Amino acid sequence: MTSPVWHPFTQHGLDEPIPVVARGEGAALHTADGRRIIDAISSWWVTTHGHGNPRIMAAIAEQAGKLDQIIFAGWTHEPAEQLARSLVDMMPAPLSHVFFSDSGSTAVEVALKMALGFWANRNEPRDRILVMEHSYHGDTIGAMSVGARGVFNQAYAPLLFDVGTVPFPRAETEQVTLDALEDACRSRPAAFIVEPLVLGAGGMLFYTPAVLAEMRAICARHGVLFIADEIMTGWGRTGTLLASEQAGVVPDILCLSKGLTGGAIPLAVTLATPAIFDAHRSRDRAKMFFHSSSYTANPIACAAANANIEIWRDEPVLARVADLGQRQQRHLDRIGSHLKIRTVRRAGTIAAFEIEDETGSYLSAIAPRLMAHARDHDVLLRPLGNTVYVMPPYCIDDDDLSAIYDVVESFLDR
Ligand SMILES: *Cc1c(COP(=O)(O)O)cnc(C)c1O
C-alpha cells in the first residue's frame, strides 16, 4: 500500500524511495531496516548538538510530566519566563523583548508585522520591505514574499506582495549593493530583512562582515528597521553564537528558530528592541501586537530550549564549532583540487562548493543524482541545485565526516 503522507519539497511522481527512520543518536540516523545513516545536513540545518541529546531529552521528559500546553495570551509559565530571560542575557543589547512562535517562517512573519506595527502605531505608516537578492525567509506567504522568486513559488506569485530588492553583495562589487540599499532607504521603507553573512537556501552564498556592518549603518542612518534572520546562521553555525556578532551588528529585530531547541522540537522567537515594544505598549487595545498561534511558547519546547542554553553555558560549544570548522576545511582543501569542483568556501561549520554543471539551476540534475547516490551509501545529503554543502551536527566524529566526503568523491569519480 502506498503511504498517504504528502512530503515537503518532494516530487512523489518520481517514485524515489523514502527511507523510514526509527532512531537518531548524535550525527547518525538509524532506519527501520537497520541502516546507519550519517546526517550530513543536520536534518535540514536544525540539529546542533546531535540527535537525542541526553540533556535536552531529559528536559523534555521532565516538562512533559508537569505542564504540556497552556494558552499564552494573558497567561505564562516558568519555562517561557526563564527562556526569555536567558535569551535577553545571551543576545546583544538592546534586544530585550521576546515574542514566541513555532517555526522560522512564523518568526519572520512576526518580524514583518512588528515592523509595520511599529510605524503604524507611531502614525507614520510605512509598508515597503527591502530584501536581498537570493534570500530565503520561509515558505508562508509573507516569508515567501520577502524571499527570492523562482520555481518554488511561481504558482503563488499573485499572492506575494511587492518588495524592494538590493543585489547580492558579490566580492568586488559590494559597493553596488550598498549604493542600492542607500538609494532604496531614501523612499522610507519600513524595514530591511537580511540573512547575516550566509544566504542558506539561496545557494550557501557568503558575503563579508564588513558589508553586513555597512548595510546596518545605512539602515540606522535612514531610520529603516533592520531585521536579522539568523534562523539558519544562529546558534554557532557560522562560528559565533550569531553571525551578526562577526560584524558587530545588533539588529532592531532578530529571528531565531532552527538551533533554538538544539533542533529537537519546534520553537521560534522574534526578539525586539524597547523601541519596537514600546510602540505597541499603550492603554489603547487597538495598538497591541495582533499575533498568536495556538502553541505559542509551548512549555515542552521552551524546556528543550532552556536545556540547549544550559549546554551553551556549561559545555565548550564554540570550541566544538571551531574544531568542526577546521576539520571541514581540511576536507575542502583536499576535495577542492578535484576537476569538477568549483568555488570551495566555508563559513564556520558550513562547507560548500559547486559541482560543474551546465544548468546551474535549482532543478539541476546533479541534486537528485547525488542525493540518491549518498542515500545508497548511507549519507543524508541534499544539494541545492549543483551546490553541495556539508553542515553536520557539531558532535560529528572524524570517521563520519570523512565518510561524507568519500561519498561525494565517489559520486564525482563515477
Ligand atoms: C529555514 C529558514 C527559515 C524558515 O524556517 P522554517 O522553520 O522552515 O519555517 C527562514 N529563514 C531562514 C534563513 C531559514 O534558513
Side-chain angles (χ1 to χ4, degrees), residues 389-405:
Y389 65 90
V390 178
M391 195 197 291
Y394 306 156
C395 63
I396 192 167
D397 68 19
D398 287 340
D399 288 349
D400 282 348
L401 191 61
S402 299
I404 296 168
Y405 286 89

Side-chain angles (χ1 to χ4, degrees), residues 31-344:
T31 62
D33 59 6
R35 290 161 59 200
R36 179 183 182 279
I37 313 286
I38 302 166
D39 188 352
I41 61 161
S42 297
S43 283
W44 240 346
W45 321 346
V46 300
T47 310
T48 50
H49 313 299
H51 291 277
N53 180 281
R55 299 182 67 177
I56 298 173
M57 296 305 116
I60 290 173
E62 198 196 330
Q63 183 56 40
K66 290 189 204 157
L67 175 66
D68 53 352
Q69 163 68 8
I70 167 85
I71 176 176
F72 206 61
W75 295 78
T76 196
H77 52 82
E78 188 48 31
E81 294 294 332
Q82 183 190 330
L83 177 55
R85 285 192 302 268
S86 302
L87 286 169
V88 170
D89 278 353
M90 230 176 153
M91 300 298 159
L95 293 166
S96 50
H97 296 274
V98 180
F99 192 93
F100 290 94
S101 62
D102 19 52
S103 72
S105 300
T106 54
V108 167
E109 301 283 351
V110 163
L112 299 174
K113 287 174 70 173
M114 278 179 180
L116 264 73
F118 169 83
W119 293 111
N121 286 346
R122 288 162 49 117
N123 292 319
E124 306 172 48
R126 297 187 181 195
D127 54 33
R128 194 163 174 80
I129 307 290
L130 303 180
V131 308
M132 184 182 279
E133 180 191 21
H134 303 308
S135 306
Y136 176 81
H137 298 290
D139 276 343
T140 52
I141 300 291
M144 274 193 293
S145 296
V146 293
R149 308 298 158 98
V151 63
F152 1 83
N153 49 36
Q154 213 157 23
Y156 330 118
L159 294 185
L160 306 186
F161 56 78
D162 196 30
V163 295
T165 306
V166 302
F168 176 77
R170 285 183 200 294
E172 316 301 334
T173 62
E174 287 121 334
Q175 195 58 42
V176 175
T177 300
L178 300 177
D179 292 345
L181 180 61
E182 183 100 47
D183 223 39
C185 280
R186 289 201 180 94
S187 52
R188 300 166 59 79
F192 176 48
I193 181 166
V194 72
E195 295 164 87
L197 303 190
V198 180
L199 274 58
M204 296 300 157
L205 304 174
F206 302 168
Y207 63 91
T208 64
V211 171
L212 181 62
E214 197 48 49
M215 293 192 304
R216 206 286 169 251
I218 291 169
C219 289
R221 219 158 41 233
H222 291 271
V224 173
L225 297 176
F226 190 88
I227 305 173
D229 173 354
E230 295 246 15
I231 290 161
M232 192 271 280
T233 50
W235 303 105
R237 262 303 153 205
T238 68
T240 41
L241 176 64
L242 297 179
S244 19
E245 253 174 80
Q246 295 174 39
V249 155
V250 181
D252 297 296
I253 301 178
L254 171 68
C255 304
L256 296 172
S257 181
K258 285 179 172 128
L260 173 57
T261 60
I265 189 167
L267 186 68
V269 287
T270 307
L271 276 75
T273 60
I276 310 267
F277 180 79
D278 290 342
H280 292 84
R281 184 188 172 103
S282 154
R283 305 297 302 175
D284 180 356
R285 296 178 67 238
K287 290 191 170 182
M288 73 172 93
F289 186 49
F290 290 102
H291 191 93
S292 172
S293 53
S294 307
Y295 290 100
T296 301
N298 172 265
I300 298 172
C302 289
N306 284 324
N308 170 47
I309 287 175
E310 278 165 28
I311 290 170
W312 271 86
R313 281 194 184 134
D314 41 67
E315 295 184 25
V317 179
L318 284 177
R320 264 175 221 155
V321 160
D323 177 66
L324 172 56
Q326 280 164 15
R327 290 187 288 139
Q328 287 270 57
Q329 191 60 49
R330 286 200 285 278
H331 286 288
L332 284 179
D333 290 345
R334 199 170 43 81
I335 206 169
S337 59
H338 198 286
L339 277 177
K340 290 184 197 155
I341 286 187
R342 300 277 176 273
T343 46
V344 169

